[in-house]
């Protein structure tokens, strides 16, 4: 009896074991399916767009600069040696958001200024709208700068689920007042800081801290089953005005105050990126995140940043204006820890992100899917870049790279707009009275015919147009081919209706 009972017990135990085993097996199978599912999910994309960060303003190009977080990302990821953007904030953002060269969508001329009754054309479907097809939750924290004269132009109407930041070009980090980066400031001023559609009361906290905190909050609350697109146009280093002892102390040997502050701002920006990474790690999203860091244009020559050894500055068609620091980092990248020398353009990141999301980019985009280059270092399919084609009279200028050759024709600078402003001898003056020498310098309109061989002469020191007339004219012909597709620039007039004074001093849509 006792034995029988024992054997029953044993049987019970065995059958319980079998149940438990079956249960564990089922759990394992579900976990496997879940993991497998996760693998096929598109990655989270964190795209940090620095503002006016020059070629020489980052640790991997300049050992003086202390950007340890970004350096580590760079060394664990891929450093891109030949990434091109546009020479100014707005055109670069337009190219990134649409995948088109700015000249094909009317965004080639200057940047959107306050009072300008236009923006990125509304018929264009932009990156976050496209990412919605793959279930992405899209956020923008930072500087929009693609127009705000009507709510239709603003981020929440263009595929972003949240917006925290400023509409315009340049907002003071402490008082959140936006003003033209040129003289006679008193003529135009406006408060420019919103949380979605609402105006944020200024509590005096500096913008980088607030932006970073918002990015961290969004990540910390993100529902991980959905892929996230975090677009963080960080508004640094150029629009700084945040100086902390903590960062200036990193540069005791830099004697020039302005330079030390610039370097300190670079380290501040680096720290902000560190907080974003920490948040992604704590939320368990880091392993599935592709992080892209890229500057929106070269450093301006009236700031402390530099593009050395490259020629020129932001707003110009020279390499210094358009070839910028860029890196990518993520577990999905197969080949890492090296410098990638393949040609790529900001529009390519548009197409590449779409492809990673499993969305077929439209065939007529200028952007090319370069994931093979990013992930495995394969040769880039891109052999050519149209730097810009601007056909507005005094600013007529264009440049193109084909292989190692580059042609610049007409005006290599894009600052004529400020010159135009000055002509309306009236309510909004700027340009000639500028307290800013560098901008004043652009007032002489140049008309150049340059040919450079960028492989032999990446610093654009030797114009070889006369030495290689056939190459020169072949490149001009190629440019003329592209000219057939130029879409006239959007309305760049300035209208009084856009004056924030009409809206209680706050930059507000509703006047176009
Ligand atoms: C500053 O210069 C001194 C003397 O050349 C050097 O020992 C020190 O390491 C430098 N400090 C930094 C932070 O570069
Ligand atoms: C990066 O580009 C420069 C030309 O500006 C070139 O001299 C250098 O060799 C490139 N680096 C690599 C690793 O290809
Ligand atoms: C610039 O130079 C080219 C060739 O020398 C000439 O055809 C063109 O008219 C000039 N443009 C301006 C705006 O001076
Ligand atoms: Ca910029």
């Amino acid at each position: 009896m006792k034995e029988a009972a024992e054997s029953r017990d044993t049987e019970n135990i065995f059958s319980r074991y079998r149940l438990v085993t079956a249960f564990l097996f089922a759990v394992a199978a579900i976990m496997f399916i879940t993991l497998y599912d996760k693998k096929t999910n598109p990655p989270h994309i964190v795209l940090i767009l620095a503002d006016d960060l020059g070629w020489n303003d980052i640790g991997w190009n300049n050992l003086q600069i202390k950007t340890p977080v970004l350096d580590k990302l760079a060394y664990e990821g891929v450093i891109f040696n030949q990434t091109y953007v546009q020479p100014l904030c707005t055109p670069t953002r337009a190219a990134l958001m649409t995948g088109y060269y700015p000249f094909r969508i009317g965004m080639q001329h200057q940047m959107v200024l306050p009072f300008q009754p236009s923006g990125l054309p509304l018929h264009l479907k932009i990156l976050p709208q496209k990412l919605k097809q793959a279930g992405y939750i899209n956020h923008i924290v930072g500087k929009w700068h693609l127009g705000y004269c009507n709510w239709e132009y603003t981020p929440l109407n263009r595929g972003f689920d949240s917006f925290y930041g400023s509409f315009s070009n340049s907002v003071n980090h402490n008082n959140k007042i936006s003003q033209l980066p040129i003289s006679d400031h008193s003529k135009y001023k406006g408060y420019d800081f919103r949380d979605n559609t609402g105006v944020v009361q200024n509590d005096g906290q500096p913008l980088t801290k607030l932006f970073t905190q918002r990015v961290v909050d969004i990540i910390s609350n993100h529902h991980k089953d959905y892929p996230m697109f975090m677009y963080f146009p960080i508004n640094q280093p150029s629009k700084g005005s945040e100086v902390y002892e903590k960062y200036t102390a990193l540069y005791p040997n830099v004697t020039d105050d302005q330079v030390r502050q610039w370097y300190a701002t670079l380290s501040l920006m680096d720290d902000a990126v560190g907080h974003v990474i920490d948040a992604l790690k704590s939320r368990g999203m880091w392993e599935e995140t592709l992080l892209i860091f890229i500057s929106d244009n070269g450093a301006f020559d009236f700031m402390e940043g530099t593009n050395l050894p490259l020629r020129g500055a932001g707003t110009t068609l020279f390499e210094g204006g358009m070839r910028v620091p860029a890196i990518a980092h993520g577990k999905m990248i197969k080949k890492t820890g090296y410098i990638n020398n393949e040609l790529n353009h900001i529009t390519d990141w548009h197409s590449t992100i779409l492809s990673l999301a499993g969305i077929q980019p439209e065939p007529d985009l200028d952007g090319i899917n370069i994931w093979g280059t990013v992930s495995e270092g394969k040769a880039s399919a891109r052999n050519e870049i149209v730097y810009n084609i601007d056909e507005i009279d005094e600013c007529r200028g264009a440049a193109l790279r084909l292989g190692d050759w580059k042609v610049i024709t007409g005006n290599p600078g894009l600052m004529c707009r400020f010159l135009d402003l000055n002509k309306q001898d009236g309510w909004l003056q700027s340009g000639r009275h500028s307290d800013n020498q560098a901008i004043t310098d652009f007032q002489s309109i140049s008309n150049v015919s340059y040919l450079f061989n960028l492989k032999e002469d990446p610093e654009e020191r030797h114009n070889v147009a006369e030495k290689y007339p056939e190459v020169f004219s072949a490149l001009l012909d190629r440019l003329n081919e592209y000219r057939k597709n130029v879409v006239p620039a959007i309305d760049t007039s300035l209208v009084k209706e856009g004056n924030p004074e009409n809206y209680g001093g706050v930059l507000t849509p509703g006047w176009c």
Side-chain angles (χ1 to χ4, degrees):
M1 274 295 273
K2 211 176 166 203
E3 265 180 25
E6 262 175 20
S7 99
R8 254 198 322 273
D9 277 355
T10 318
E11 252 170 52
N12 271 345
I13 287 166
F14 271 122
S15 64
R16 230 178 287 152
Y17 269 130
R18 270 197 297 272
L19 259 178
V20 169
T21 313
F23 176 72
L24 284 179
F25 185 79
V27 168
I30 289 166
M31 275 173 67
F32 176 78
I33 290 166
T34 315
L35 282 176
Y36 181 78
D37 242 354
K38 270 226 170 96
K39 270 225 169 89
T40 57
N41 263 357
H44 305 298
I45 307 282
V46 175
L47 200 162
I48 304 176
L49 192 70
D51 205 344
D52 308 341
L53 178 82
W55 180 259
N56 200 34
D57 288 338
I58 196 79
W60 59 86
N61 284 339
N62 181 349
L63 294 177
Q64 271 207 291
I65 310 285
K66 295 186 173 29
T67 45
V69 174
L70 285 160
D71 290 359
K72 185 164 186 283
L73 283 181
Y75 300 138
E76 288 177 0
V78 182
I79 297 175
F80 295 95
N81 200 30
Q82 298 208 60
T83 290
Y84 287 83
V85 292
Q86 299 300 129
L88 269 175
C89 309
T90 296
T92 290
R93 285 160 171 75
L96 171 66
M97 285 297 136
T98 64
Y100 289 108
Y101 285 133
F103 76 85
R104 288 195 55 202
I105 53 173
M107 299 304 289
Q108 64 272 37
H109 184 68
Q110 295 278 339
M111 55 184 172
V112 174
L113 290 174
F115 298 87
Q116 186 174 319
S118 57
L120 182 65
L122 295 172
H123 70 274
L124 296 163
K125 199 170 175 186
I126 73 170
L127 187 56
Q129 283 167 319
K130 297 179 192 182
L131 287 173
K132 277 280 162 209
Q133 294 164 38
Y136 274 79
I137 312 283
N138 307 306
H139 304 278
I140 167 172
V141 176
K143 167 171 133 175
W144 172 238
H145 209 183
L146 286 171
Y148 69 93
C149 61
N150 184 299
W151 285 108
E152 294 301 311
Y153 285 102
T154 63
L156 295 185
N157 285 304
R158 309 202 79 168
F160 283 104
D161 297 294
S162 80
F163 169 54
Y164 186 70
S166 58
F167 285 143
S168 78
N169 50 303
S170 161
V171 58
N172 179 291
H173 280 224
N174 300 306
N175 63 19
K176 286 77 172 182
I177 301 276
S178 162
Q179 50 195 26
L180 281 178
I182 43 183
S183 72
D184 214 353
H185 292 163
S186 57
K187 285 281 175 6
Y188 151 63
K189 255 188 185 151
Y191 186 79
D192 187 14
F193 186 19
R194 287 191 185 252
D195 189 345
N196 291 320
T197 52
V199 179
V200 183
Q201 292 290 318
N202 185 22
D203 65 359
Q205 293 199 73
L207 220 42
T208 307
K209 185 179 171 200
L210 293 168
F211 285 171
T212 308
Q213 190 53 53
R214 175 57 63 96
V215 174
V216 166
D217 287 348
I218 289 172
I219 292 169
S220 309
N221 293 305
H222 182 71
H223 193 314
K224 283 189 287 181
D225 288 350
Y226 295 93
M228 177 190 74
F229 173 49
M230 170 59 72
Y231 173 47
F232 186 15
I234 187 171
N235 220 18
Q236 288 283 23
S238 93
K239 312 300 188 298
S241 64
E242 290 177 50
V243 181
Y244 305 98
E245 171 64 21
K246 180 179 167 192
Y247 302 110
T248 46
L250 296 171
Y251 303 98
N253 294 347
V254 178
T255 47
D256 184 311
D257 260 9
Q258 299 291 329
V259 174
R260 196 167 60 244
Q261 281 182 25
W262 179 261
Y263 286 5
T265 307
L266 297 169
S267 297
L268 164 83
M269 175 187 73
D270 188 68
D271 230 15
V273 177
H275 289 298
V276 174
I277 295 171
D278 289 346
L280 288 162
K281 285 181 177 164
S282 336
R283 186 73 187 124
M285 290 164 68
W286 182 237
E287 305 286 310
E288 286 132 35
T289 295
L290 176 68
L291 188 147
I292 302 159
F293 176 88
I294 191 165
S295 177
D296 72 336
N297 50 252
F300 290 117
D301 48 2
F302 53 85
M303 293 169 179
E304 308 308 324
T306 72
N307 306 305
L308 293 172
L310 304 179
R311 177 173 180 178
T315 77
T316 75
L317 300 176
F318 293 111
E319 297 293 286
M322 302 183 62
R323 186 175 158 192
V324 293
I327 56 169
H329 180 285
K331 290 280 150 49
M332 59 297 289
I333 298 178
K334 294 195 179 116
K335 182 179 172 189
T336 56
Y338 74 108
I339 298 175
N340 179 311
N341 206 31
E342 297 296 321
L343 199 58
N344 60 86
H345 183 257
I346 186 81
T347 53
D348 299 341
W349 290 99
H350 177 99
S351 299
T352 306
I353 289 170
L354 287 183
S355 303
L356 276 177
I359 299 164
Q360 189 67 39
E362 300 94 317
D364 75 325
L365 294 186
D366 296 305
I368 297 170
N369 173 13
I370 51 161
W371 183 242
T373 304
V374 175
S375 173
E376 296 167 68
K378 288 183 181 164
S380 168
R382 178 178 286 284
N383 183 38
E384 186 177 37
I385 284 174
V386 183
Y387 290 70
N388 200 32
I389 303 176
D390 191 347
E391 302 201 315
I392 290 203
D393 268 352
E394 286 178 309
C395 321
R396 243 166 234 289
L400 170 121
R401 173 175 179 173
L402 186 58
D404 295 330
W405 296 99
K406 173 177 179 182
V407 66
I408 307 181
T409 169
N411 184 359
L414 266 76
M415 276 304 188
C416 2
R417 172 60 184 279
F418 295 116
L419 192 73
D420 290 342
L421 285 183
N422 191 46
K423 284 186 178 158
Q424 335 178 341
D425 200 23
W427 57 277
L428 185 69
Q429 271 202 344
S430 51
R432 274 190 196 127
H433 310 287
S434 175
D435 45 14
N436 184 325
Q437 197 51 43
I439 286 178
T440 313
D441 286 346
F442 278 109
Q443 288 181 1
S444 51
I445 302 290
S446 353
N447 186 13
V448 306
S449 299
Y450 288 153
L451 178 71
F452 301 111
N453 184 313
L454 292 178
K455 188 164 190 186
E456 286 163 15
D457 180 24
E459 297 169 23
E460 300 170 289
R461 291 176 187 274
H462 310 288
N463 177 16
V464 291
E466 284 179 11
K467 194 170 168 194
Y468 300 103
E470 283 105 37
V471 179
F472 182 63
S473 65
L475 263 70
L476 286 183
D477 288 349
R478 186 78 187 141
L479 252 181
N480 287 333
E481 282 293 307
Y482 279 107
R483 280 186 207 277
K484 292 177 190 156
N485 296 322
V486 170
V487 169
I490 58 169
D491 184 356
T492 55
S493 65
L494 303 180
V495 301
K496 288 178 190 173
E497 289 73 17
N499 196 330
E501 277 174 15
N502 303 331
Y503 298 91
V506 179
L507 268 72
T508 304
W511 42 277
C512 74

